[in-house]
């Protein structure tokens, strides 16, 4: 059923005249009559009583009238919704990030929301190893990684940098140091995340390669849990600095670099290089690009 023919039908029904409908639609009367006839042929029913002079609808015409009005309203709503997507008045950006990376992507979200407050940003917790695949499969619009993606077909924008530091309670014997050695850190009661990640594996491999002890005494399932345990002086932890900025600034935690384990992290927003992205996702990437120059300028080599 053609929407244009339904519009002709609604106009004839409203004007109760083929000639008046033709004038309103800026079409000839034969063209209007042909459109109605095609609609009648499609439905197998007469829609207007040709014997009546006032454009009276038949029973089939009255039934179609209600559906035609609803269909045209839906068409208008669909057209409006698509225009709103283009104009960023609606839509959603689906972002994948692991627990630590959320802290780096939030400043991008802040600027994006300031520019496009009606677009929803949905950040989902996804293990970093899965992010590249899920972005390519389009189950995510973009993802955040602290390492170059292994998957081909992904482009990236640098959005932040970070480093691993030892977090300790302010009263811990090592809290006032400017730096500690791997051996000193490894001898402490270490609180670790119990979820496997490339960063965790790098740290474990580094301690193994250097034949240093790593005394993990407590494993927890979340960064917030780890930070709380450190505040309670249950041990120390090796975490990205950015994920504890609030606690470090307020003095609830102390951050101390660990020699040779700082492992600087350059965090990237990754997205599919060739895919047709939504207007909202493209706008999110464009906001992220504004961070790239600042991050690149601020990155300094870590000894």
């Amino acid at each position: 059923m053609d929407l244009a023919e339904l519009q002709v039908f609604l106009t004839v029904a409203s004007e109760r005249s083929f000639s008046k409908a033709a004038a309103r639609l800026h079409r000839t009367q034969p063209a209007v009559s042909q459109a109605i006839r095609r609609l009648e042929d499609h439905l197998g029913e007469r829609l207007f009583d040709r014997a009546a002079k006032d454009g009276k609808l038949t029973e089939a015409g009255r039934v179609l009238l209600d559906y035609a009005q609803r269909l045209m309203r839906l068409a208008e709503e669909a057209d409006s919704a698509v225009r709103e997507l283009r104009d960023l008045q609606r839509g959603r950006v689906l972002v994948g990030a692991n627990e630590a990376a959320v802290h780096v992507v939030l400043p991008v979200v802040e600027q994006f929301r300031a520019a496009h407050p009606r677009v929803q940003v949905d950040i989902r917790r996804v293990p970093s190893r899965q992010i590249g695949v899920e972005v390519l499969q389009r189950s995510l619009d973009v993802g955040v990684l602290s390492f170059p993606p292994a998957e081909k077909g992904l482009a990236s924008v640098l959005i932040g940098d970070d480093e691993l530091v030892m977090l300790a309670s302010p009263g811990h014997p090592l809290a006032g140091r400017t730096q500690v050695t791997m051996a000193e850190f490894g001898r402490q009661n270490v609180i670790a995340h119990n979820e496997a990640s490339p960063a965790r594996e790098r740290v474990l491999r580094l301690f193994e390669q250097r034949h240093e002890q790593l005394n993990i005494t407590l494993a927890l399932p979340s960064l917030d849990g780890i930070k709380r345990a450190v505040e309670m002086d249950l041990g120390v932890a090796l975490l990205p600095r950015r994920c504890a900025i609030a606690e470090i600034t307020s003095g609830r935690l102390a951050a101390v670099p660990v020699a040779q384990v700082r492992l600087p992290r350059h965090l990237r927003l990754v997205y599919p290089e060739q895919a047709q992205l939504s207007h909202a996702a493209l706008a999110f990437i464009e906001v992220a690009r504004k961070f790239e120059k600042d991050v690149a300028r601020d990155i300094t080599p870590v000894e």
Side-chain angles (χ1 to χ4, degrees):
M1 195 175 294
D2 191 288
L3 286 177
E5 290 175 355
L6 284 178
Q7 184 60 63
V8 172
F9 166 74
L10 287 171
T11 305
V12 174
S14 172
E15 296 292 341
R16 292 183 172 273
S17 163
F18 280 71
S19 59
K20 289 180 180 179
R24 180 172 155 187
L25 294 170
H26 305 290
R27 298 176 67 176
T28 65
Q29 184 171 334
V32 169
S33 298
Q34 289 172 11
I36 296 299
R37 193 174 306 280
R38 285 194 298 271
L39 198 53
E40 289 175 331
D41 290 343
H42 174 76
L43 294 170
E45 292 285 346
R46 291 291 183 186
L47 300 173
F48 293 94
D49 184 352
R50 300 300 199 278
K53 295 183 179 180
D54 58 355
K56 183 179 179 180
L57 291 167
T58 63
E59 184 178 5
R62 289 194 296 273
V63 169
L64 180 63
L65 181 65
D66 178 57
Y67 284 99
Q69 289 170 337
R70 281 191 271 171
L71 282 170
M72 295 309 296
R73 281 197 297 270
L74 281 173
E76 289 172 4
E77 287 175 19
D79 184 62
S80 175
V82 171
R83 284 200 307 271
E84 287 179 358
L85 283 174
R86 182 193 62 212
D87 298 335
L88 297 173
Q89 295 303 306
R90 66 162 64 197
R92 182 181 69 162
V93 182
L94 191 54
V95 183
N98 67 14
E99 194 177 5
V102 168
H103 298 272
V104 179
V105 78
L106 283 178
V108 181
V109 174
E110 180 184 28
Q111 287 199 16
F112 178 79
R113 293 279 297 148
H116 310 294
R118 298 186 66 180
V119 179
Q120 179 189 356
V121 179
D122 186 351
I123 302 179
R124 297 190 178 179
R125 184 173 175 178
V126 181
S128 54
R129 281 201 178 98
Q130 293 176 213
I131 286 175
V133 173
E134 294 204 24
V135 169
L136 287 173
Q137 291 177 344
R138 304 304 306 282
S139 52
L140 296 171
D141 291 315
V142 296
V144 184
L145 291 176
S146 61
F147 51 87
E151 295 81 7
K152 293 181 179 179
L154 290 176
S156 67
V157 179
L158 193 64
I159 60 170
D161 64 300
D162 205 353
E163 63 174 347
L164 296 179
V165 292
M166 183 189 78
L167 297 179
S169 66
H172 191 280
L174 299 178
R177 297 273 295 275
T178 56
Q179 184 171 276
V180 298
T181 66
M182 289 178 65
E184 288 174 312
F185 172 77
R187 285 195 297 267
Q188 307 304 308
N189 291 324
V190 176
I191 303 169
H193 205 299
N194 57 18
E195 183 177 291
S197 71
R200 175 189 167 100
E201 289 185 6
R202 285 177 68 191
V203 170
L204 293 175
R205 188 164 59 249
L206 189 57
F207 272 84
E208 183 180 349
Q209 288 171 349
R210 295 180 179 273
H211 306 290
E212 296 286 1
Q213 173 189 0
L214 186 59
N215 183 35
I216 297 176
T217 59
L218 178 61
L220 293 171
S222 72
L223 295 181
D224 283 341
I226 293 172
K227 290 186 291 183
R228 179 62 181 144
V230 173
E231 284 186 54
M232 295 169 65
D233 208 17
L234 295 177
V236 299
L238 192 67
L239 290 180
R241 183 188 291 271
R242 280 180 182 264
C243 75
I245 289 295
E247 293 85 356
I248 295 168
T249 303
S250 66
R252 301 199 309 273
L253 291 175
V256 183
V258 180
Q260 301 166 320
V261 194
R262 291 173 69 179
L263 299 178
R265 298 145 48 90
H266 305 320
L267 290 107
R268 301 165 171 82
L269 189 78
V270 299
Y271 57 94
E273 200 167 17
Q274 301 296 333
Q276 183 69 39
L277 296 172
S278 69
H279 292 288
L282 289 171
F284 192 84
I285 293 166
E286 193 58 35
V287 170
R289 290 191 194 283
K290 296 177 183 178
F291 284 74
E292 191 165 36
K293 290 182 180 178
D294 293 337
V295 174
R297 184 185 63 242
D298 294 341
I299 288 176
T300 55
V302 176
E303 296 286 333

